[in-house]
PDB file of all heavy atoms in Angstrom:
ATOM      1  N   GLN G   5      -5.622  13.479  12.558  1.00 95.00           N
ATOM      2  CA  GLN G   5      -4.640  13.942  13.533  1.00 95.00           C
ATOM      3  C   GLN G   5      -3.995  15.213  12.970  1.00 95.00           C
ATOM      4  O   GLN G   5      -3.783  15.322  11.757  1.00 95.00           O
ATOM      5  CB  GLN G   5      -3.564  12.881  13.781  1.00 95.00           C
ATOM      6  CG  GLN G   5      -4.067  11.630  14.518  1.00 95.00           C
ATOM      7  CD  GLN G   5      -4.354  11.892  15.992  1.00 95.00           C
ATOM      8  OE1 GLN G   5      -3.464  11.934  16.835  1.00 95.00           O
ATOM      9  NE2 GLN G   5      -5.631  12.097  16.294  1.00 95.00           N
ATOM     10  N   PHE G   6      -3.709  16.128  13.847  1.00 96.00           N
ATOM     11  CA  PHE G   6      -3.090  17.387  13.437  1.00 96.00           C
ATOM     12  C   PHE G   6      -3.906  18.103  12.364  1.00 96.00           C
ATOM     13  O   PHE G   6      -3.378  18.692  11.419  1.00 96.00           O
ATOM     14  CB  PHE G   6      -1.651  17.160  12.960  1.00 96.00           C
ATOM     15  CG  PHE G   6      -0.797  16.434  13.955  1.00 96.00           C
ATOM     16  CD1 PHE G   6      -0.514  15.087  13.786  1.00 96.00           C
ATOM     17  CD2 PHE G   6      -0.306  17.086  15.078  1.00 96.00           C
ATOM     18  CE1 PHE G   6       0.253  14.405  14.709  1.00 96.00           C
ATOM     19  CE2 PHE G   6       0.468  16.413  16.010  1.00 96.00           C
ATOM     20  CZ  PHE G   6       0.750  15.064  15.830  1.00 96.00           C
ATOM     21  N   GLY G   7      -5.238  17.958  12.481  1.00 96.00           N
ATOM     22  CA  GLY G   7      -6.136  18.722  11.627  1.00 96.00           C
ATOM     23  C   GLY G   7      -6.402  18.152  10.247  1.00 96.00           C
ATOM     24  O   GLY G   7      -7.015  18.822   9.411  1.00 96.00           O
ATOM     25  N   GLN G   8      -5.978  16.918   9.980  1.00 97.00           N
ATOM     26  CA  GLN G   8      -6.246  16.329   8.667  1.00 97.00           C
ATOM     27  C   GLN G   8      -6.255  14.802   8.755  1.00 97.00           C
ATOM     28  O   GLN G   8      -5.741  14.223   9.713  1.00 97.00           O
ATOM     29  CB  GLN G   8      -5.199  16.785   7.651  1.00 97.00           C
ATOM     30  CG  GLN G   8      -3.775  16.399   8.002  1.00 97.00           C
ATOM     31  CD  GLN G   8      -2.774  16.921   6.986  1.00 97.00           C
ATOM     32  OE1 GLN G   8      -3.105  17.219   5.839  1.00 97.00           O
ATOM     33  NE2 GLN G   8      -1.506  17.029   7.391  1.00 97.00           N
ATOM     34  N   ALA G   9      -6.844  14.179   7.744  1.00 97.00           N
ATOM     35  CA  ALA G   9      -6.846  12.715   7.674  1.00 97.00           C
ATOM     36  C   ALA G   9      -5.408  12.227   7.610  1.00 97.00           C
ATOM     37  O   ALA G   9      -4.566  12.823   6.914  1.00 97.00           O
ATOM     38  CB  ALA G   9      -7.616  12.245   6.452  1.00 97.00           C
ATOM     39  N   ILE G  10      -5.122  11.138   8.307  1.00 97.00           N
ATOM     40  CA  ILE G  10      -3.720  10.713   8.390  1.00 97.00           C
ATOM     41  C   ILE G  10      -3.193  10.185   7.054  1.00 97.00           C
ATOM     42  O   ILE G  10      -1.971  10.069   6.881  1.00 97.00           O
ATOM     43  CB  ILE G  10      -3.505   9.674   9.509  1.00 97.00           C
ATOM     44  CG1 ILE G  10      -4.305   8.398   9.249  1.00 97.00           C
ATOM     45  CG2 ILE G  10      -3.857  10.269  10.872  1.00 97.00           C
ATOM     46  CD1 ILE G  10      -3.992   7.281  10.248  1.00 97.00           C
ATOM     47  N   ASN G  11      -4.089   9.855   6.103  1.00 97.00           N
ATOM     48  CA  ASN G  11      -3.584   9.425   4.797  1.00 97.00           C
ATOM     49  C   ASN G  11      -3.014  10.581   3.976  1.00 97.00           C
ATOM     50  O   ASN G  11      -2.516  10.361   2.863  1.00 97.00           O
ATOM     51  CB  ASN G  11      -4.656   8.671   4.007  1.00 97.00           C
ATOM     52  CG  ASN G  11      -5.830   9.524   3.594  1.00 97.00           C
ATOM     53  OD1 ASN G  11      -5.863  10.746   3.818  1.00 97.00           O
ATOM     54  ND2 ASN G  11      -6.836   8.880   3.004  1.00 97.00           N
ATOM     55  N   LYS G  12      -3.054  11.769   4.512  1.00 97.00           N
ATOM     56  CA  LYS G  12      -2.430  12.915   3.850  1.00 97.00           C
ATOM     57  C   LYS G  12      -0.931  12.996   4.156  1.00 97.00           C
ATOM     58  O   LYS G  12      -0.196  13.722   3.506  1.00 97.00           O
ATOM     59  CB  LYS G  12      -3.096  14.230   4.287  1.00 97.00           C
ATOM     60  CG  LYS G  12      -4.589  14.299   4.006  1.00 97.00           C
ATOM     61  CD  LYS G  12      -4.900  14.247   2.529  1.00 97.00           C
ATOM     62  CE  LYS G  12      -6.403  14.425   2.284  1.00 97.00           C
ATOM     63  NZ  LYS G  12      -6.732  14.300   0.840  1.00 97.00           N
ATOM     64  N   PHE G  13      -0.509  12.229   5.176  1.00 98.00           N
ATOM     65  CA  PHE G  13       0.898  12.254   5.561  1.00 98.00           C
ATOM     66  C   PHE G  13       1.701  11.291   4.693  1.00 98.00           C
ATOM     67  O   PHE G  13       1.293  10.157   4.449  1.00 98.00           O
ATOM     68  CB  PHE G  13       1.060  11.893   7.039  1.00 98.00           C
ATOM     69  CG  PHE G  13       0.446  12.895   7.977  1.00 98.00           C
ATOM     70  CD1 PHE G  13      -0.775  12.637   8.578  1.00 98.00           C
ATOM     71  CD2 PHE G  13       1.080  14.107   8.235  1.00 98.00           C
ATOM     72  CE1 PHE G  13      -1.348  13.559   9.439  1.00 98.00           C
ATOM     73  CE2 PHE G  13       0.512  15.034   9.091  1.00 98.00           C
ATOM     74  CZ  PHE G  13      -0.712  14.770   9.693  1.00 98.00           C
ATOM     75  N   GLN G  14       2.853  11.758   4.249  1.00 98.00           N
ATOM     76  CA  GLN G  14       3.650  10.973   3.316  1.00 98.00           C
ATOM     77  C   GLN G  14       4.080   9.628   3.912  1.00 98.00           C
ATOM     78  O   GLN G  14       4.112   8.608   3.216  1.00 98.00           O
ATOM     79  CB  GLN G  14       4.880  11.774   2.885  1.00 98.00           C
ATOM     80  CG  GLN G  14       5.615  11.163   1.701  1.00 98.00           C
ATOM     81  CD  GLN G  14       6.771  12.047   1.255  1.00 98.00           C
ATOM     82  OE1 GLN G  14       7.733  12.240   1.989  1.00 98.00           O
ATOM     83  NE2 GLN G  14       6.677  12.580   0.033  1.00 98.00           N
ATOM     84  N   GLY G  15       4.397   9.611   5.190  1.00 97.00           N
ATOM     85  CA  GLY G  15       4.798   8.359   5.826  1.00 97.00           C
ATOM     86  C   GLY G  15       3.709   7.296   5.738  1.00 97.00           C
ATOM     87  O   GLY G  15       3.989   6.118   5.503  1.00 97.00           O
ATOM     88  N   ILE G  16       2.461   7.703   5.923  1.00 98.00           N
ATOM     89  CA  ILE G  16       1.321   6.787   5.800  1.00 98.00           C
ATOM     90  C   ILE G  16       1.159   6.350   4.351  1.00 98.00           C
ATOM     91  O   ILE G  16       0.917   5.163   4.052  1.00 98.00           O
ATOM     92  CB  ILE G  16       0.029   7.458   6.303  1.00 98.00           C
ATOM     93  CG1 ILE G  16       0.169   7.872   7.767  1.00 98.00           C
ATOM     94  CG2 ILE G  16      -1.171   6.543   6.092  1.00 98.00           C
ATOM     95  CD1 ILE G  16       0.338   6.727   8.727  1.00 98.00           C
ATOM     96  N   GLN G  17       1.293   7.284   3.431  1.00 98.00           N
ATOM     97  CA  GLN G  17       1.153   6.969   2.009  1.00 98.00           C
ATOM     98  C   GLN G  17       2.204   5.955   1.560  1.00 98.00           C
ATOM     99  O   GLN G  17       1.906   5.036   0.790  1.00 98.00           O
ATOM    100  CB  GLN G  17       1.260   8.249   1.178  1.00 98.00           C
ATOM    101  CG  GLN G  17       0.114   9.217   1.396  1.00 98.00           C
ATOM    102  CD  GLN G  17       0.330  10.543   0.687  1.00 98.00           C
ATOM    103  OE1 GLN G  17       1.381  10.784   0.079  1.00 98.00           O
ATOM    104  NE2 GLN G  17      -0.657  11.431   0.785  1.00 98.00           N
ATOM    105  N   PHE G  18       3.437   6.120   2.043  1.00 98.00           N
ATOM    106  CA  PHE G  18       4.493   5.173   1.683  1.00 98.00           C
ATOM    107  C   PHE G  18       4.137   3.757   2.158  1.00 98.00           C
ATOM    108  O   PHE G  18       4.331   2.780   1.434  1.00 98.00           O
ATOM    109  CB  PHE G  18       5.824   5.600   2.310  1.00 98.00           C
ATOM    110  CG  PHE G  18       6.515   6.719   1.578  1.00 98.00           C
ATOM    111  CD1 PHE G  18       5.945   7.332   0.479  1.00 98.00           C
ATOM    112  CD2 PHE G  18       7.754   7.183   2.009  1.00 98.00           C
ATOM    113  CE1 PHE G  18       6.577   8.357  -0.200  1.00 98.00           C
ATOM    114  CE2 PHE G  18       8.409   8.209   1.337  1.00 98.00           C
ATOM    115  CZ  PHE G  18       7.815   8.798   0.240  1.00 98.00           C
ATOM    116  N   LYS G  19       3.627   3.648   3.372  1.00 98.00           N
ATOM    117  CA  LYS G  19       3.287   2.332   3.914  1.00 98.00           C
ATOM    118  C   LYS G  19       2.149   1.695   3.109  1.00 98.00           C
ATOM    119  O   LYS G  19       2.200   0.512   2.769  1.00 98.00           O
ATOM    120  CB  LYS G  19       2.911   2.447   5.391  1.00 98.00           C
ATOM    121  CG  LYS G  19       2.890   1.100   6.113  1.00 98.00           C
ATOM    122  CD  LYS G  19       2.696   1.276   7.610  1.00 98.00           C
ATOM    123  CE  LYS G  19       3.916   1.805   8.305  1.00 98.00           C
ATOM    124  NZ  LYS G  19       5.009   0.788   8.351  1.00 98.00           N
ATOM    125  N   LEU G  20       1.127   2.481   2.791  1.00 98.00           N
ATOM    126  CA  LEU G  20       0.014   1.975   1.981  1.00 98.00           C
ATOM    127  C   LEU G  20       0.507   1.534   0.599  1.00 98.00           C
ATOM    128  O   LEU G  20       0.065   0.503   0.072  1.00 98.00           O
ATOM    129  CB  LEU G  20      -1.065   3.049   1.839  1.00 98.00           C
ATOM    130  CG  LEU G  20      -1.851   3.409   3.108  1.00 98.00           C
ATOM    131  CD1 LEU G  20      -2.696   4.646   2.867  1.00 98.00           C
ATOM    132  CD2 LEU G  20      -2.733   2.248   3.557  1.00 98.00           C
ATOM    133  N   SER G  21       1.419   2.304   0.034  1.00 98.00           N
ATOM    134  CA  SER G  21       1.964   1.966  -1.285  1.00 98.00           C
ATOM    135  C   SER G  21       2.728   0.645  -1.251  1.00 98.00           C
ATOM    136  O   SER G  21       2.575  -0.199  -2.150  1.00 98.00           O
ATOM    137  CB  SER G  21       2.894   3.079  -1.771  1.00 98.00           C
ATOM    138  OG  SER G  21       2.194   4.291  -1.923  1.00 98.00           O
ATOM    139  N   ASP G  22       3.533   0.457  -0.233  1.00 98.00           N
ATOM    140  CA  ASP G  22       4.284  -0.795  -0.099  1.00 98.00           C
ATOM    141  C   ASP G  22       3.339  -1.981   0.089  1.00 98.00           C
ATOM    142  O   ASP G  22       3.563  -3.063  -0.477  1.00 98.00           O
ATOM    143  CB  ASP G  22       5.243  -0.714   1.088  1.00 98.00           C
ATOM    144  CG  ASP G  22       6.433   0.208   0.825  1.00 98.00           C
ATOM    145  OD1 ASP G  22       6.667   0.541  -0.353  1.00 98.00           O
ATOM    146  OD2 ASP G  22       7.113   0.587   1.797  1.00 98.00           O
ATOM    147  N   MET G  23       2.298  -1.800   0.872  1.00 98.00           N
ATOM    148  CA  MET G  23       1.317  -2.871   1.094  1.00 98.00           C
ATOM    149  C   MET G  23       0.660  -3.272  -0.227  1.00 98.00           C
ATOM    150  O   MET G  23       0.567  -4.460  -0.563  1.00 98.00           O
ATOM    151  CB  MET G  23       0.264  -2.415   2.102  1.00 98.00           C
ATOM    152  CG  MET G  23       0.805  -2.213   3.515  1.00 98.00           C
ATOM    153  SD  MET G  23      -0.280  -1.189   4.564  1.00 98.00           S
ATOM    154  CE  MET G  23      -1.649  -2.311   4.853  1.00 98.00           C
ATOM    155  N   ALA G  24       0.203  -2.285  -0.976  1.00 98.00           N
ATOM    156  CA  ALA G  24      -0.475  -2.553  -2.243  1.00 98.00           C
ATOM    157  C   ALA G  24       0.454  -3.235  -3.247  1.00 98.00           C
ATOM    158  O   ALA G  24       0.036  -4.122  -3.999  1.00 98.00           O
ATOM    159  CB  ALA G  24      -1.023  -1.259  -2.831  1.00 98.00           C
ATOM    160  N   THR G  25       1.713  -2.821  -3.259  1.00 98.00           N
ATOM    161  CA  THR G  25       2.678  -3.408  -4.200  1.00 98.00           C
ATOM    162  C   THR G  25       2.928  -4.874  -3.876  1.00 98.00           C
ATOM    163  O   THR G  25       2.974  -5.728  -4.772  1.00 98.00           O
ATOM    164  CB  THR G  25       4.000  -2.616  -4.153  1.00 98.00           C
ATOM    165  OG1 THR G  25       3.732  -1.251  -4.514  1.00 98.00           O
ATOM    166  CG2 THR G  25       5.014  -3.206  -5.116  1.00 98.00           C
ATOM    167  N   ARG G  26       3.098  -5.195  -2.598  1.00 98.00           N
ATOM    168  CA  ARG G  26       3.305  -6.594  -2.200  1.00 98.00           C
ATOM    169  C   ARG G  26       2.102  -7.451  -2.599  1.00 98.00           C
ATOM    170  O   ARG G  26       2.250  -8.566  -3.091  1.00 98.00           O
ATOM    171  CB  ARG G  26       3.532  -6.685  -0.691  1.00 98.00           C
ATOM    172  CG  ARG G  26       4.859  -6.135  -0.212  1.00 98.00           C
ATOM    173  CD  ARG G  26       5.089  -6.518   1.248  1.00 98.00           C
ATOM    174  NE  ARG G  26       6.252  -5.844   1.809  1.00 98.00           N
ATOM    175  CZ  ARG G  26       6.192  -4.779   2.598  1.00 98.00           C
ATOM    176  NH1 ARG G  26       5.026  -4.265   2.934  1.00 98.00           N
ATOM    177  NH2 ARG G  26       7.295  -4.242   3.067  1.00 98.00           N
ATOM    178  N   ILE G  27       0.910  -6.926  -2.367  1.00 98.00           N
ATOM    179  CA  ILE G  27      -0.301  -7.686  -2.685  1.00 98.00           C
ATOM    180  C   ILE G  27      -0.407  -7.927  -4.179  1.00 98.00           C
ATOM    181  O   ILE G  27      -0.736  -9.039  -4.623  1.00 98.00           O
ATOM    182  CB  ILE G  27      -1.553  -6.945  -2.164  1.00 98.00           C
ATOM    183  CG1 ILE G  27      -1.542  -6.904  -0.636  1.00 98.00           C
ATOM    184  CG2 ILE G  27      -2.829  -7.617  -2.671  1.00 98.00           C
ATOM    185  CD1 ILE G  27      -2.559  -5.945  -0.045  1.00 98.00           C
ATOM    186  N   HIS G  28      -0.132  -6.904  -4.968  1.00 98.00           N
ATOM    187  CA  HIS G  28      -0.239  -7.053  -6.420  1.00 98.00           C
ATOM    188  C   HIS G  28       0.747  -8.108  -6.931  1.00 98.00           C
ATOM    189  O   HIS G  28       0.390  -8.961  -7.750  1.00 98.00           O
ATOM    190  CB  HIS G  28       0.032  -5.710  -7.096  1.00 98.00           C
ATOM    191  CG  HIS G  28      -0.206  -5.725  -8.578  1.00 98.00           C
ATOM    192  ND1 HIS G  28      -1.433  -5.990  -9.136  1.00 98.00           N
ATOM    193  CD2 HIS G  28       0.646  -5.534  -9.630  1.00 98.00           C
ATOM    194  CE1 HIS G  28      -1.343  -5.953 -10.456  1.00 98.00           C
ATOM    195  NE2 HIS G  28      -0.092  -5.679 -10.778  1.00 98.00           N
ATOM    196  N   ALA G  29       1.965  -8.064  -6.437  1.00 98.00           N
ATOM    197  CA  ALA G  29       2.966  -9.051  -6.846  1.00 98.00           C
ATOM    198  C   ALA G  29       2.547 -10.457  -6.414  1.00 98.00           C
ATOM    199  O   ALA G  29       2.664 -11.421  -7.185  1.00 98.00           O
ATOM    200  CB  ALA G  29       4.326  -8.694  -6.251  1.00 98.00           C
ATOM    201  N   ALA G  30       2.042 -10.591  -5.195  1.00 98.00           N
ATOM    202  CA  ALA G  30       1.609 -11.891  -4.696  1.00 98.00           C
ATOM    203  C   ALA G  30       0.450 -12.440  -5.514  1.00 98.00           C
ATOM    204  O   ALA G  30       0.396 -13.639  -5.828  1.00 98.00           O
ATOM    205  CB  ALA G  30       1.209 -11.779  -3.226  1.00 98.00           C
ATOM    206  N   ARG G  31      -0.471 -11.568  -5.877  1.00 98.00           N
ATOM    207  CA  ARG G  31      -1.627 -12.008  -6.669  1.00 98.00           C
ATOM    208  C   ARG G  31      -1.174 -12.502  -8.045  1.00 98.00           C
ATOM    209  O   ARG G  31      -1.632 -13.546  -8.521  1.00 98.00           O
ATOM    210  CB  ARG G  31      -2.626 -10.854  -6.799  1.00 98.00           C
ATOM    211  CG  ARG G  31      -3.896 -11.241  -7.559  1.00 98.00           C
ATOM    212  CD  ARG G  31      -4.898 -10.096  -7.602  1.00 98.00           C
ATOM    213  NE  ARG G  31      -5.504  -9.862  -6.301  1.00 98.00           N
ATOM    214  CZ  ARG G  31      -5.366  -8.736  -5.600  1.00 98.00           C
ATOM    215  NH1 ARG G  31      -4.625  -7.738  -6.074  1.00 98.00           N
ATOM    216  NH2 ARG G  31      -5.962  -8.610  -4.438  1.00 98.00           N
ATOM    217  N   LEU G  32      -0.283 -11.764  -8.689  1.00 97.00           N
ATOM    218  CA  LEU G  32       0.215 -12.179  -9.999  1.00 97.00           C
ATOM    219  C   LEU G  32       0.920 -13.537  -9.929  1.00 97.00           C
ATOM    220  O   LEU G  32       0.731 -14.394 -10.791  1.00 97.00           O
ATOM    221  CB  LEU G  32       1.161 -11.120 -10.555  1.00 97.00           C
ATOM    222  CG  LEU G  32       0.508  -9.842 -11.100  1.00 97.00           C
ATOM    223  CD1 LEU G  32       1.563  -8.789 -11.380  1.00 97.00           C
ATOM    224  CD2 LEU G  32      -0.301 -10.139 -12.353  1.00 97.00           C
ATOM    225  N   MET G  33       1.735 -13.736  -8.894  1.00 98.00           N
ATOM    226  CA  MET G  33       2.436 -15.009  -8.740  1.00 98.00           C
ATOM    227  C   MET G  33       1.451 -16.153  -8.514  1.00 98.00           C
ATOM    228  O   MET G  33       1.621 -17.256  -9.041  1.00 98.00           O
ATOM    229  CB  MET G  33       3.421 -14.921  -7.566  1.00 98.00           C
ATOM    230  CG  MET G  33       4.584 -13.977  -7.818  1.00 98.00           C
ATOM    231  SD  MET G  33       5.679 -13.818  -6.393  1.00 98.00           S
ATOM    232  CE  MET G  33       6.526 -15.404  -6.466  1.00 98.00           C
ATOM    233  N   THR G  34       0.406 -15.891  -7.744  1.00 98.00           N
ATOM    234  CA  THR G  34      -0.593 -16.920  -7.453  1.00 98.00           C
ATOM    235  C   THR G  34      -1.386 -17.285  -8.702  1.00 98.00           C
ATOM    236  O   THR G  34      -1.596 -18.468  -9.001  1.00 98.00           O
ATOM    237  CB  THR G  34      -1.536 -16.434  -6.342  1.00 98.00           C
ATOM    238  OG1 THR G  34      -0.757 -16.098  -5.181  1.00 98.00           O
ATOM    239  CG2 THR G  34      -2.551 -17.500  -5.981  1.00 98.00           C
ATOM    240  N   TYR G  35      -1.818 -16.281  -9.448  1.00 97.00           N
ATOM    241  CA  TYR G  35      -2.563 -16.548 -10.672  1.00 97.00           C
ATOM    242  C   TYR G  35      -1.694 -17.282 -11.695  1.00 97.00           C
ATOM    243  O   TYR G  35      -2.177 -18.177 -12.408  1.00 97.00           O
ATOM    244  CB  TYR G  35      -3.081 -15.231 -11.271  1.00 97.00           C
ATOM    245  CG  TYR G  35      -4.346 -14.718 -10.631  1.00 97.00           C
ATOM    246  CD1 TYR G  35      -4.446 -14.578  -9.248  1.00 97.00           C
ATOM    247  CD2 TYR G  35      -5.444 -14.360 -11.397  1.00 97.00           C
ATOM    248  CE1 TYR G  35      -5.602 -14.104  -8.661  1.00 97.00           C
ATOM    249  CE2 TYR G  35      -6.610 -13.883 -10.811  1.00 97.00           C
ATOM    250  CZ  TYR G  35      -6.684 -13.759  -9.441  1.00 97.00           C
ATOM    251  OH  TYR G  35      -7.834 -13.300  -8.864  1.00 97.00           O
ATOM    252  N   HIS G  36      -0.427 -16.909 -11.761  1.00 97.00           N
ATOM    253  CA  HIS G  36       0.463 -17.562 -12.718  1.00 97.00           C
ATOM    254  C   HIS G  36       0.645 -19.038 -12.359  1.00 97.00           C
ATOM    255  O   HIS G  36       0.590 -19.911 -13.245  1.00 97.00           O
ATOM    256  CB  HIS G  36       1.817 -16.860 -12.743  1.00 97.00           C
ATOM    257  CG  HIS G  36       2.795 -17.474 -13.698  1.00 97.00           C
ATOM    258  ND1 HIS G  36       2.570 -17.556 -15.057  1.00 97.00           N
ATOM    259  CD2 HIS G  36       4.006 -18.059 -13.490  1.00 97.00           C
ATOM    260  CE1 HIS G  36       3.593 -18.153 -15.641  1.00 97.00           C
ATOM    261  NE2 HIS G  36       4.476 -18.478 -14.713  1.00 97.00           N
ATOM    262  N   ALA G  37       0.853 -19.329 -11.083  1.00 98.00           N
ATOM    263  CA  ALA G  37       1.003 -20.722 -10.658  1.00 98.00           C
ATOM    264  C   ALA G  37      -0.267 -21.513 -10.943  1.00 98.00           C
ATOM    265  O   ALA G  37      -0.214 -22.661 -11.401  1.00 98.00           O
ATOM    266  CB  ALA G  37       1.348 -20.779  -9.167  1.00 98.00           C
ATOM    267  N   ALA G  38      -1.428 -20.902 -10.694  1.00 98.00           N
ATOM    268  CA  ALA G  38      -2.705 -21.570 -10.971  1.00 98.00           C
ATOM    269  C   ALA G  38      -2.869 -21.833 -12.464  1.00 98.00           C
ATOM    270  O   ALA G  38      -3.335 -22.907 -12.875  1.00 98.00           O
ATOM    271  CB  ALA G  38      -3.860 -20.720 -10.446  1.00 98.00           C
TER     272      ALA G  38
END
């Protein structure tokens, strides 16, 4: 959009970063409980 991949936009990058952080924390908690 607007001549470039949308992952170049900071708003998209922030959302992807938050998603990855939640997943990493969830995975660590799950492995620790196991």
Side-chain angles (χ1 to χ4, degrees):
Q5 291 288 280
F6 306 103
Q8 60 182 338
I10 62 173
N11 67 4
K12 302 296 184 183
F13 295 102
Q14 192 176 65
I16 301 295
Q17 293 173 356
F18 281 3
K19 195 172 287 290
L20 291 170
S21 298
D22 288 344
M23 293 162 72
T25 300
R26 289 191 189 101
I27 294 167
H28 187 62
R31 183 177 289 117
L32 285 170
M33 292 177 74
T34 303
Y35 279 51
H36 180 61

